[in-house]
Amino acid sequence: MAATSPTAPPARATATAPASAAPGRPEEAALPPPPAAAQRPYTIKSPHGDRSDPYYWLRDDTRKDPDVLGFLEAENAYARAVLGPDHAVEEKLLGELKGHIQDDDESVPVVEDHYAYVARFATGQEQPVIVRHKVGPVDARAGAQPNAGAARPTEAVVLDGNELAKGHAFFALGGYAVSRNGQYVAWLDDTVGRRQFALHIKDLRTGKLLADTASNVSGGFALARDAVVWANDNQTLFYVGKDATTLRQDRVFRHTLGQPHDTQVLREPDGQYYVGLHPTKSRRFIAIELGATTNSEVQLIDADHPRAPLKIVLPREVDHLYTLDHLDGKFFLRTNAGAKNFRIVEVAEAKVKDRAAWRDVIAASPDALVESFTLSRSFVAATVRTGGLARVEVVPSKGPAFLVDAEEPAYTMDIEDVPDPDARQVRYEYTSPVTPRTTFELDVATRHKTSLKIQPVPHYDASQYAVEYVHAKASDGTLIPVSVVYRKSTPRDGTAPLLVYGYGSYGASIDPAFDASRLALLDRGWVWAIAHIRGGQEMGRAWYEAGKLMHKRNTFTDFIAATEFLVGEKYGAKDQVFAMGRSAGGLLMGAVLNMRPDLYRGVVAGVPFVDAVTTMLDESIPLTTNEFDEWGNPKDKAAYDYMLSYSPYDNVKPQAYPSIFVTTSLWDSQVQYFEPAKWVAKLRATKTDHNLLLLETDMAAGHGGKSGRFDRLRDTARYMTFLLHVHDHRDART
């Protein structure tokens, strides 16, 4: 179906027949009754009092119990029946979403070891193809951008995700790394959705897949260059393994090509720590990062002598968080020592433990949070957050430091770490709610910016949309930043439907970035808002600390205050306010639903973490032990009581709720499927209204849903179909 023209908002499509009804309405007879889960006695043991959980039986760690699978399939069938009459709407939405994606697309080249690497999509492909071509020193300095009119260089395929995905219902390509001599590629992939990746190695000269492999490996982020790291001998590589039960990233292995057994070089016994890897800019070391919520440690592998003993840079200590890089005999550290919002320091390699020898590169500031950094021989550059918005700060090796300017009211910038230690340009990305992601290189000497790529968005005219950055007052007087985007033709008179998105956990900042999928709602006259609530890190480290542990309720009341502010300022209609959050943002949705169900007409809760107390009592569940410093340890009575006071599952009560759409995935390793399943079962048995309550379980995916670039758009079209359906039908509260 053709994408909607940006010149005029389309008439909002309506369902052919209402599927949400109070008892006695004629259309209700066409629907099957919603599933009713059986209640089976079960007692949750805890040091502070036992609790009854009649839906605990929905937890099946084997994912084979026919009763459990039958319940999930029944919920899926019910959701299909309810939204079935909206199939044409869903297909139209899907067509629009696809229409905003450039079919043939590719990333900006990244140069490493005399090759330029590009991730490319061809028309109709779900997965990327990684290709490379050789470059010389001049090309490397220039970022390997081909000259206008020049012939495309001869390329070789490194990895073809589409070929690798054949025969798999789910496929996610994880990190990959090429040996220093360019001969071997090691990569990670997941064919289940459980984030338990497998390691594979291929000889790029012959195209032969080696027998070398490993399972239950940590995959890092998609296409990350540091989930698996080669030593400088081109024969040895290192990867991170997981605990088979908790899936905690807790060990590092050394693999030598051709050897049948791998050597475990580190295992972290403390359950609060997660392990990661990355090569330093100098390629002298491979850094093993051991990170907990409030402290960290780095140990080094000698990349030239991969069997040498590990060396600890700075031993872990209470409340000290640091990361590091290395170049030309110096360590560069991002540290919170003497800097609540972090600072960047440099120090000679031999004096790294002597804090008196540390020299500030970017000094501590109460108003600027240093989030990340990259370095070369010409500069240090950092992503620095001020006033809730991320900018780039550059510190040249010669000359004064400066901030990169932005002209929009809400935006975000983020540095990119390129491997070249001699880079003279800072590479960074810029985006806003109305500006597609743009990759820039900034010449440090001249401050001239070059646009390397503007993410193409077909059928989009940025001039038709507006973005605002406003502030809502929380119940304690704190000002909460809110990013708002809407089509300029949408009336600002309190009549528009409004969708408010939130997260507010782990210090994760939800940036005001461009998302082409929003256009489907914006072009139908909706207003989209992001509430930058406490628990994130938008306003600095203190913002995070004010929304965690015994201050967690601030996250929920901030979201409620932001919603009320937006309605009061006429961004949306009082009776057409919707909310959405995923994962820990699903906890947010569950909490505000219990606290203020009257504020919302409909809520989307994706893979929601809603059974906080039971999960945090069970140390066999992935993420639990690592998150005691986020939510609290329920072995402590004060923490237990506080968590119990807001845990969505435990606080469901007989009251009228808005319409709710819940999604989960059977193989989710971050939020187990049984949390949302139990929550929905309890809501069905307890709530007093006749509004929609839908649960959809993807039986072949994990926490991120579907893996293909087009496949995942179906999930987006699905929740938008729910929103339009609810908007088109009357509220059915008693």
Side-chain angles (χ1 to χ4, degrees), residues 522-533:
L522 300 183
D523 287 346
R524 286 168 169 79
W526 287 56
V527 175
W528 189 300
I530 302 171
H532 304 289
I533 51 185

Side-chain angles (χ1 to χ4, degrees), residues 311-525:
K311 292 184 179 180
I312 298 175
V313 181
L314 297 171
R316 66 191 68 177
E317 61 180 273
V318 175
D319 294 331
H320 185 212
L321 289 164
Y322 75 97
T323 57
L324 62 77
D325 206 340
H326 177 271
L327 185 62
D328 294 340
K330 293 181 180 180
F331 284 117
F332 294 77
L333 290 85
R334 173 184 176 265
T335 172
N336 69 345
K340 189 179 187 68
N341 283 331
F342 295 87
R343 57 180 171 143
I344 306 296
V345 302
E346 67 172 311
V347 60
E349 186 178 322
K351 294 186 175 182
V352 66
K353 290 181 170 62
D354 179 10
R355 294 191 184 180
W358 292 4
R359 185 186 75 83
D360 279 346
V361 178
I362 296 180
S365 169
D367 303 317
L369 172 70
V370 181
E371 291 194 327
S372 61
F373 76 99
T374 184
L375 64 105
S376 84
R377 293 186 172 96
S378 298
F379 61 83
V380 174
T383 301
V384 178
R385 190 174 295 275
T386 58
L389 301 173
R391 300 179 68 181
V392 171
E393 182 170 357
V394 181
V395 183
S397 55
K398 298 178 181 178
F402 61 92
L403 285 165
V404 178
D405 292 329
E407 297 179 355
E408 295 178 279
Y411 58 86
T412 186
M413 301 183 196
D414 192 27
I415 53 167
E416 290 191 6
D417 186 21
V418 298
D420 181 14
D422 291 311
R424 294 192 293 268
Q425 295 84 26
V426 176
R427 184 176 292 189
Y428 69 96
E429 290 191 339
Y430 176 91
T431 181
S432 83
V434 299
T435 301
R437 192 168 297 276
T438 304
T439 303
F440 287 103
E441 277 191 343
L442 182 145
D443 187 285
V444 173
T446 66
R447 301 195 188 184
H448 175 72
K449 287 191 295 186
T450 301
S451 173
L452 301 184
K453 178 186 178 181
I454 300 173
Q455 181 60 44
V457 183
H459 312 293
Y460 174 64
D461 178 1
S463 69
Q464 301 299 307
Y465 302 85
V467 57
E468 297 183 30
Y469 192 62
V470 296
H471 292 80
K473 184 175 289 188
S475 54
D476 62 0
T478 302
L479 294 179
I480 311 301
V482 184
S483 301
V484 187
V485 61
Y486 51 88
R487 194 179 176 95
K488 290 179 179 177
S489 58
T490 298
R492 277 285 315 282
D493 59 0
T495 62
L498 167 68
L499 178 61
V500 188
Y501 181 87
Y503 188 75
S505 291
Y506 304 111
S509 298
I510 305 302
D511 286 312
F514 184 81
D515 183 350
S517 67
R518 293 183 193 141
L519 299 174
L521 291 181
L522 300 183
D523 287 346
R524 286 168 169 79

Side-chain angles (χ1 to χ4, degrees), residues 615-664:
T615 291
M616 294 304 295
L617 281 167
D618 188 346
E619 296 185 15
S620 73
I621 292 178
L623 303 184
T624 293
T625 55
N626 176 250
E627 297 192 353
F628 288 146
D629 286 329
E630 178 72 25
W631 313 106
N633 190 332
K635 296 184 185 71
D636 174 74
K637 188 175 188 311
Y640 175 90
D641 289 343
Y642 189 73
M643 271 189 281
L644 194 62
S645 74
Y646 68 72
S647 175
Y649 180 65
D650 292 289
N651 288 280
V652 170
K653 53 195 170 190
Q655 64 178 351
Y657 286 87
S659 293
I660 306 170
F661 184 52
V662 183
T663 64
T664 186

Side-chain angles (χ1 to χ4, degrees), residues 221-301:
F221 294 102
L223 302 182
R225 305 300 295 277
D226 52 4
V228 56
V229 183
W230 289 89
N232 293 334
D233 63 1
N234 302 301
Q235 295 292 305
T236 308
L237 60 84
F238 294 84
Y239 63 89
V240 176
K242 292 188 168 188
D243 182 275
T245 300
T246 67
L247 306 188
R248 183 169 66 93
Q249 301 159 211
D250 67 345
R251 60 200 74 184
V252 175
F253 289 96
R254 182 179 67 239
H255 174 77
T256 303
L257 293 183
Q259 297 299 311
H261 302 293
D262 297 344
T263 300
Q264 181 175 290
V265 299
L266 176 145
R267 184 178 182 276
E268 174 53 57
D270 190 331
Q272 296 191 68
Y273 284 81
Y274 271 54
V275 176
L277 288 174
H278 73 86
T280 61
K281 187 61 62 76
S282 64
R283 299 304 290 260
R284 271 273 318 281
F285 303 109
I286 299 169
I288 302 176
E289 295 185 336
L290 301 103
T293 304
T294 59
N295 41 69
S296 60
E297 178 179 283
V298 177
Q299 299 190 27
L300 297 178
I301 299 167

